[in-house]
Structures are given as C-alpha cells and as structure tokens.
C-alpha cells in the first residue's frame, strides 16, 4: 500500500532535552518525506541544544552533551529543516501534543514564522490509541510484525511511525487513505494554539482553557482585563501561544 497524497507529507521525530515544550530543546530530528508520486527522501540532524542535556534524557535516547558539542544549533539548521517541510503536511507519533509544538517553539526562536494554517497533521499515535491503546514498539509489532530496533533513535522511530500508518490503513477499512480525513480523526481537541491553552467552544469562539479565566472567551478577557494579555506576553508561556494571542488581540482591535 502507498499513501494517497495531494501534497507531500513529512513524518518526523524529535529527541530532546526533556518534555517541557516551552523550555526544552531538540538534540536530534529525523524527517522522512513522501511525495504524491511515491518518491521518498530522508534526513537526520544531530543538534547542539545550547543547554545541558540531563542525564535522564541521555539515558532514554543515548545522546550526550559530548556527542552534540560540535554539532550545529537549531538556529543554524532552521532554514534547511523548514525548506524540507514547508510544502508538506506533517505526521508523527504523539506529534500533535509534543513534536509539532516543540518544533514550532524552536522555529520561532530561530526567527522562522512557522504555523499550521495551510497544512494538516496526522498523529499516528492517536489512531493507534483509538484502535488498540499500546506503545510505539507494540504498534510496530502489532501492525507490521516487526521488532523495533534502536528505540528512541529519531530515525528508527520515524521509519517505524511511517510503517505503522501503512499497517493501520491496511488493517482498518474504515480509515480513509486521505491526509485531511486522518488529521481530523487524530485531532484530540479543537485547540487554537499547539499547547491547548486557547481552545474553541462549540460556537467556534476562542476561549482560555487554564487559569482564572478558564472557559471564558478570549475577547471578553481582552475587554474586562486588558492587562492579562500583557501578563501572558511577559510570562513563561510558549512562543506560539503568544503569537496566536497577539493575532486574536489584533483581530479584536480591528473589529472595534
């Protein structure tokens, strides 16, 4: 089976210094790009995160401070990585909740205006969890009959994710081989930002999902507590959340 594509799709995986989207950094990124005509290309980069890699992170992925000491920073690689994915949809394993948000933070720190407006994402883990509820290694065994070698190597995890999606499409006739449909199937909630701090209600209105204004419309907060916007912009929130909120603020000002 091959994927039915209207545009390229990039399967990707990150190895990182930790799991805090706002603070942690990428130490390895692998991208496997599939084109509508069936052509494929892959690329893996080791990345100097510019911050120490905790021992517990090295224990998971095997990448130490010494290993990346002479590797380029993400800022130096950002244009190469962006050029590879800019025309593509994205796919990964737990990518909607972790890999895409963290990639967006790194891109914005590097001065690249990354967003998902003109692309969709397919989270293969969500398909797996909705259908079977297992781990990446179990998914590869279940769908492909293979043992995952070199787990927590970005390249191995990326290739496994691609093969699992093909296996899922083979196994479940109700899953359409269409990236937009798969994206809708794998979307856990209708969030406006990657971190899920701003979400849509059932009327399509943006509201906060945290703090003292949880479940309150963003526009209402702008009106009754103008300082809240400034507090978020100056506090330790993800850069993409700040970007989204700025866009909503400008929209509010332009409609008054």
């Amino acid at each position: 089976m091959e994927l039915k594509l209207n545009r390229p799709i990039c399967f990707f995986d990150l190895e990182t210094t930790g799991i805090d989207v706002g603070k942690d950094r990428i130490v390895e990124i692998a991208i496997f790009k599939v084109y509508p005509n069936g052509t494929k290309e892959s690329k893996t980069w080791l990345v100097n995160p510019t911050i120490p890699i905790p021992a517990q992170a090295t224990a998971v992925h095997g990448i130490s401070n010494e290993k990346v000491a002479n590797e380029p920073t993400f800022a130096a690689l950002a244009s190469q990585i962006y050029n590879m994915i800019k025309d593509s949809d994205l796919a990964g394993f737990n990518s909607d909740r972790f890999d895409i948000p963290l990639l967006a933070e790194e891109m914005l720190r590097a001065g690249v205006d990354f967003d998902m407006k003109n692309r969709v994402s397919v989270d293969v883990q969500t398909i797996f969890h909705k259908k079977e509820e297992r781990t990446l290694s179990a998914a590869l065994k279940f769908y492909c009959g293979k043992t995952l070698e070199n787990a927590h190597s970005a390249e191995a995890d990326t290739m496994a994710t691609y093969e699992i999606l093909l296996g899922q499409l083979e196994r479940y006739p109700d899953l359409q081989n269409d990236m937009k449909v798969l994206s809708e199937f794998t979307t856990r909630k209708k969030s406006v930002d990657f971190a899920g701090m701003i979400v849509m209600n059932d009327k399509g209105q943006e509201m906060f999902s945290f703090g003292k204004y949880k479940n309150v419309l963003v526009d209402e907060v702008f009106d009754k507590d103008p300082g809240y916007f400034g507090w978020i912009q100056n506090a330790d929130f993800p850069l993409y959340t700040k970007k989204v909120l700025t866009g909503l603020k400008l929209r509010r000002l332009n409609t008054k």
Side-chain angles (χ1 to χ4, degrees):
M1 175 178 285
E2 291 292 339
L3 298 176
K4 295 178 182 178
L5 303 173
N6 295 318
R7 60 184 299 176
I9 185 167
C10 286
F11 292 79
F12 79 104
D13 185 71
L14 307 177
E15 302 302 335
T16 67
T17 59
I19 58 174
D20 187 318
V21 169
K23 297 179 180 179
D24 280 304
R25 302 289 190 269
I26 295 170
V27 298
E28 186 179 33
I29 178 171
I31 300 174
F32 180 64
K33 188 171 185 177
V34 185
Y35 292 85
N37 65 3
T39 301
K40 303 174 179 69
E41 66 173 305
S42 63
K43 180 70 177 177
T44 301
W45 295 269
L46 281 172
V47 183
N48 183 334
T50 70
I51 64 173
I53 304 173
Q56 57 267 37
T58 299
V60 172
H61 50 55
I63 300 172
S64 64
N65 292 297
E66 293 74 21
K67 187 172 182 178
V68 296
N70 297 317
E71 298 295 336
T73 64
F74 188 88
L77 295 169
S79 61
Q80 294 181 55
I81 295 169
Y82 182 73
N83 285 337
M84 190 168 183
I85 68 174
K86 66 182 180 181
D87 63 342
S88 306
D89 294 326
L90 298 179
F93 201 84
N94 194 34
S95 51
D96 282 355
R97 290 196 295 179
F98 182 71
D99 297 83
I100 291 175
L102 183 53
L103 179 63
E105 290 297 296
E106 290 278 38
M107 285 290 186
L108 291 171
R109 273 192 291 267
V112 177
D113 190 19
F114 176 87
D115 61 44
M116 294 291 291
K117 289 179 181 177
N118 298 314
R119 69 178 98 223
V120 300
S121 65
V122 178
D123 193 329
V124 176
Q125 186 192 62
T126 302
I127 296 175
F128 188 35
H129 283 180
K130 284 187 173 183
K131 296 291 187 179
E132 307 296 342
E133 298 186 0
R134 302 284 175 83
T135 63
L136 178 61
S137 297
L140 190 65
K141 186 72 173 178
F142 184 84
Y143 291 109
C144 308
K146 296 181 179 181
T147 300
L148 179 58
E149 304 292 344
N150 299 319
H152 297 297
S153 155
E155 184 174 4
D157 289 358
T158 297
M159 294 304 298
T161 301
Y162 167 68
E163 292 188 37
I164 289 166
L165 179 56
L166 295 180
Q168 288 170 332
L169 291 169
E170 293 270 12
R171 181 174 289 268
Y172 305 118
D174 59 313
L175 281 181
Q176 292 187 46
N177 193 341
D178 178 276
M179 297 308 107
K180 184 176 180 180
V181 174
L182 290 174
S183 176
E184 292 171 354
F185 184 80
T186 61
T187 299
R188 289 180 170 89
K189 59 185 178 181
K190 190 65 175 178
S191 60
V192 183
D193 65 327
F194 293 134
M197 293 181 172
I198 304 170
V199 298
M200 303 286 280
N201 64 15
D202 55 6
K203 296 180 180 179
Q205 300 168 301
E206 299 89 356
M207 61 183 185
F208 289 105
S209 66
F210 70 97
K212 65 180 181 178
Y213 292 123
K214 184 175 182 178
N215 298 326
V216 178
L217 294 180
V218 172
D219 283 346
E220 289 184 10
V221 176
F222 285 158
D223 289 339
K224 72 181 181 181
D225 189 355
Y228 196 65
F229 171 79
W231 172 74
I232 290 178
Q233 293 299 321
N234 292 311
D236 191 19
F237 285 90
L239 295 176
Y240 195 82
T241 300
K242 295 179 180 180
K243 176 185 174 181
V244 167
L245 199 59
T246 298
L248 296 177
K249 179 74 169 178
L250 291 172
R251 184 190 69 184
R252 183 65 171 170
L253 293 173
N254 291 332
T255 56
K256 283 192 171 183

